[in-house]
Amino acid sequence: MGLNVIMMGPPGAGKGTQATRFARDRQLLKISTGDILRDEIRAENPVALEAKARMDRGELVDDDTMIAIVRHRLMRPDAAPGFVLDGFPRTVPQARALDQIIGERDNGPLVIVDVVVPEDELVRRLAGRRICSKCGVNADPFAAGDACARCGGELVQRVDDGQDVVVERLKVYQRATKPVLEYYRERPTFRVVNGAQAPERVAHELDTMIDDAATVGAAILKAGQ
Ligand code: ADP
């Protein structure tokens, strides 16, 4: 049986880092909608270039575009063992569409984790975050110098990590994405982790709680068969 995980949380909560590590450890497909959009912009895909203005302002890209991107990825054969989603769903219509896609795939439980971090800490983290202008990877926050450790490209601040845009992204999170948590909160496979701890600690807690929730979810699926 597969395992499907949604990593929820505000911008800067560290969900991308945790999603990458968890997916690698468990050999699941990691899907980060923000990364996909930035890759497509670098590749000058016209749909993504249209979305760029909204991203740069900290606004959301429209639901139809995002649902089509995620549906396409989830149908790929490498998504068969399961997936870790980072940055999706961000609206209730996206969450509803995802439930439908998961129903069609019919492969393992869905675990939802909310990574919680206080707002002042989020603003501080995002102001210091740098990414590689060439390969798009997040830089180690403690890295000295301006060169990417992976490809040597120049490290820069993300356009949407500037102070004003961060404030807008946090507002959008409160307005559009908080309701998604309410959509999931009552499910027996919903869990909350304290993201304001050391990354290794968060990783350890995530491992335990996702395994626990997956067991619960698998039992429910079995009972429903
Ligand atoms: P964050 O660091 O805020 O989690 P991401 O890298 O996930 O940021 O996303 C950056 C931007 O990409 C968002 O501010 C938004 O404009 C767009 N985006 C990513 N995922 C979605 C989505 N599911 N729905 C709408 N817009 C999205």
Side-chain angles (χ1 to χ4, degrees), residues 10-12 15 32-35 37-38 54-55 58-61 66 86-90 94 126 129 158 160 169:
K15 59 188 188 303
S32 159
T33 45
D35 287 349
L37 289 168
R38 284 184 289 274
R54 302 187 67 92
M55 291 174 72
E59 296 164 12
L60 294 182
V61 176
M66 298 312 303
D86 158 30
F88 187 95
R90 261 179 160 91
Q94 290 179 14
L126 291 168
R129 174 160 83 175
R158 246 169 64 176
D160 61 348
R169 280 162 65 203

Side-chain angles (χ1 to χ4, degrees), residues 26-40:
R26 308 295 178 101
Q27 291 171 334
L28 303 171
L29 179 70
K30 190 201 99 161
I31 302 170
S32 159
T33 45
D35 287 349
I36 293 173
L37 289 168
R38 284 184 289 274
D39 285 348
E40 295 295 329

Side-chain angles (χ1 to χ4, degrees), residues 67-213:
I67 292 165
I69 288 176
V70 169
R71 176 181 281 280
H72 180 72
R73 293 274 163 143
L74 289 182
M75 292 304 164
R76 276 172 27 175
D78 55 350
F83 59 79
V84 183
L85 267 175
D86 158 30
F88 187 95
R90 261 179 160 91
T91 65
V92 171
Q94 290 179 14
R96 290 210 183 94
L98 181 64
D99 271 340
Q100 200 189 338
I101 297 169
I102 288 174
E104 290 163 22
R105 287 174 86 245
D106 187 24
N107 183 24
L110 176 69
V111 174
I112 307 105
V113 184
D114 183 23
V115 184
V116 177
V117 174
E119 187 154 326
D120 51 350
E121 170 72 9
L122 295 173
V123 175
R124 204 180 59 73
R125 287 184 186 180
L126 291 168
R129 174 160 83 175
R130 292 183 304 165
I131 63 163
C132 174
S133 55
K134 221 158 113 191
C135 74
V137 75
N138 262 340
D140 177 339
F142 304 106
D146 291 328
C148 170
R150 189 160 85 173
C151 77
E154 189 193 358
L155 297 179
V156 295
Q157 187 176 52
R158 246 169 64 176
V159 182
D160 61 348
D161 277 350
Q163 181 79 25
D164 294 352
V165 183
V166 164
V167 171
E168 177 61 22
R169 280 162 65 203
L170 290 171
K171 263 197 237 157
V172 168
Y173 177 78
Q174 290 292 339
R175 192 176 59 232
T177 309
K178 272 279 172 82
V180 179
L181 292 174
E182 299 321 311
Y183 179 84
Y184 288 129
R185 197 177 296 280
E186 297 306 319
R187 296 194 186 183
T189 53
F190 178 85
R191 297 288 182 280
V192 177
V193 69
N194 172 10
Q197 316 177 80
E200 312 77 64
R201 182 80 217 147
V202 179
H204 176 74
E205 291 188 7
L206 276 174
D207 280 343
T208 314
M209 64 177 65
I210 292 174
D211 283 338
D212 170 69

